[in-house]
Amino acid sequence: MLQLRDADESGPARGPGSPGSPGAATLVPGAAGPPFEPAVPPARQTLRPLSVRTAGRAGRLRQYFVFRPGTIEQAVSEIRVVVLPAEDGEVQSVWLLTEIDHWNNEKERLVLITDWSLLVCKYNFISLQCQHVTRIALSAVDTISVGEFQFPPKSLNKREGVGIRIQWDKQSRASFINRWNPWSTNIPYVTFTEHPMADADEKISSLCRLENFQTQLIQAVKKAHKEGPVPGSANGVLVLERPILIETYLGLMSFINNEAKLGYSMTRGKIGF
């Protein structure tokens, strides 16, 4: 490596144009420096994706009014006023289930098993009021079916899971007019499945177990048939394990209802219904 330096003042005198004259620079070999190293760019930074927080099961649980602290306890306490002791007897158990109507619509229900009746209550968990009660005499129940849901082959809106269907008055199907009327209440059966959040809250899960409901219902129906037989009819209940048929094809209305959870008392933005 060569470097420039001024001529040594103590050296011999030279002419003004000579290489060693004062004011002239001399090229001299210099000490070998470190080799040239190009600047190293900073290490590449890894961009981490933004973490998107999704509503977990606990978050969805808070959207249901029934799972808010104290709500189900108050509802169970107040729902007993719909019981008519002379007609229903004493309350044996209370259940939180989902009713599936004949058009595959989900509806949140409180269900009471009494000595002689099955009470299906449409309960508003926001205003804490019972809005409608369907009373079914246990002695009129003739068939209880348990199994997976089944739909016609060309149905566009199906559901999975297990349900229980309770039939009475020896009628297995509704009339043609009632089957094709989505608002008809003249259906000779009722179908239940577990609440969608049945296993999310340990305190309430015991009220939502379909298998336990099935066991108690069968016992209550058999007892009612034995203690209060219906004159002129064959008494006894038939318990079957078979698919539960829901005869819907297009199912647009039930699709909207079930996807939006319109059959449940829930918070929806800043309002609840």
Side-chain angles (χ1 to χ4, degrees):
M1 178 178 178
L2 298 178
Q3 63 181 5
L4 292 172
R5 73 179 183 182
D6 293 339
D8 189 356
E9 294 181 356
S10 62
R14 292 178 174 85
S18 62
S21 60
T26 308
L27 287 173
V28 296
F36 173 76
E37 296 180 359
V40 179
R44 181 179 296 176
Q45 296 181 352
T46 303
L47 297 178
R48 297 180 179 178
L50 294 176
S51 58
V52 180
R53 298 181 62 183
T54 57
R57 195 165 180 82
R60 296 196 302 273
L61 184 68
R62 289 192 293 269
Q63 295 177 350
Y64 293 82
F65 278 88
V66 65
F67 291 101
R68 295 192 173 186
T71 300
I72 188 65
E73 291 82 0
Q74 183 174 350
V76 170
S77 175
E78 294 182 354
I79 198 66
R80 295 175 183 271
V81 299
V82 305
V83 178
L84 305 176
E87 185 175 352
D88 304 319
E90 297 293 329
V91 176
Q92 299 299 319
S93 57
V94 181
W95 305 87
L96 176 65
L97 301 172
T98 294
E99 180 185 353
I100 309 295
D101 71 7
H102 61 296
W103 272 52
N104 197 29
N105 292 296
E106 297 180 3
K107 302 173 182 179
E108 194 173 44
R109 294 290 184 259
L110 275 180
V111 182
L112 283 70
I113 298 177
T114 71
D115 291 332
W116 307 312
S117 302
L118 178 69
L119 306 180
V120 183
C121 307
K122 178 184 179 182
Y123 194 88
N124 188 324
F125 290 99
I126 301 175
S127 61
L128 296 176
Q129 293 180 347
C130 182
Q131 298 177 328
H132 183 266
V133 177
T134 300
R135 180 174 276 100
I136 304 163
L138 294 180
S139 58
V141 174
D142 53 74
T143 306
I144 297 177
S145 304
V146 181
E148 296 183 352
F149 292 107
Q150 185 181 70
F151 292 80
K154 296 183 180 180
S155 176
L156 300 179
N157 184 23
K158 301 180 180 180
R159 71 166 55 248
E160 297 180 351
V162 176
I164 179 171
R165 174 166 291 174
I166 304 147
Q167 299 172 213
W168 57 86
D169 293 339
K170 304 295 181 181
Q171 300 182 54
S172 60
R173 295 185 73 189
S175 66
F176 177 82
I177 295 177
N178 288 324
R179 286 202 312 271
W180 289 99
N181 179 6
W183 298 281
S184 175
T185 58
N186 192 18
I187 305 295
Y189 58 80
V190 63
T191 305
F192 296 112
T193 189
E194 285 191 349
H195 194 283
M197 305 300 288
D199 58 347
D201 191 309
E202 295 181 356
K203 296 180 180 179
I204 303 181
S205 62
S206 61
L207 303 179
C208 307
R209 298 299 180 192
L210 192 67
E211 185 176 354
N212 296 345
F213 169 75
Q214 170 192 338
T215 301
Q216 292 202 18
L217 176 65
I218 294 173
Q219 292 175 353
V221 171
K222 289 181 176 180
K223 181 180 178 182
H225 276 282
K226 182 178 180 179
E227 296 181 353
V230 179
S233 64
N235 292 288
V237 58
L238 186 62
V239 180
L240 303 175
E241 291 186 5
R242 63 179 180 181
I244 296 177
L245 178 63
I246 300 179
E247 294 183 273
T248 58
Y249 293 88
L250 181 60
L252 179 60
M253 187 176 72
S254 62
F255 174 80
I256 296 173
N257 177 83
N258 297 341
E259 286 297 314
K261 301 295 183 185
L262 298 180
Y264 300 87
S265 298
M266 298 180 64
T267 57
R268 309 177 197 277
K270 296 182 179 180
I271 60 175
F273 62 89

